[in-house]
Amino acid sequence: CTAEHVTTEMTIVPKGEGVKVFPNPTSGKFGVSGLEKGSVINIFSIDGKLLMQSTATTSYQIFDISSFPSGIYILTDRKKVSKKIIKL
């Protein structure tokens, strides 16, 4: 009787690591993938003002910030996923 040594490798992805923002930087419209359906997405200015709020109906959403001035914005959800968006 022989014993086999089995090695398994597991990658643990923290919540939110699967969320991707593209294109980033953007000139206005950008997509966000990896969202949980029903999660509330907020876009804040760099000084913390809430500028936009949306509820994800699918795992992929498109946002349009073309009316916002150039700068850095923060996208968050209630699970504390936070992504920096750069608008050119």
Side-chain angles (χ1 to χ4, degrees):
C1 188
T2 62
E4 283 186 34
H5 180 71
V6 178
T7 303
T8 58
E9 187 173 315
M10 183 185 303
T11 303
I12 298 173
V13 179
K15 272 200 180 293
E17 285 297 310
V19 174
K20 305 281 186 226
V21 175
F22 52 90
N24 193 13
T26 181
S27 59
K29 289 186 179 180
F30 63 93
V32 181
S33 66
L35 297 170
E36 287 185 35
K37 185 177 176 182
S39 57
V40 176
I41 308 304
N42 298 306
I43 298 177
F44 292 94
S45 62
I46 197 70
D47 61 354
K49 291 180 187 164
L50 177 64
L51 302 175
M52 184 182 291
Q53 187 173 67
S54 178
T55 301
T57 56
T58 64
S59 64
Y60 177 76
Q61 298 287 129
I62 295 175
F63 294 88
D64 185 357
I65 60 170
S66 56
S67 64
F68 296 2
S70 297
I72 297 173
Y73 298 90
I74 307 298
L75 180 140
T76 66
D77 74 1
R78 289 192 177 154
K79 301 215 182 314
K80 303 301 179 203
V81 172
S82 182
K83 298 289 180 181
K84 179 170 64 172
I85 302 160
I86 301 170
K87 176 161 184 294
L88 302 175

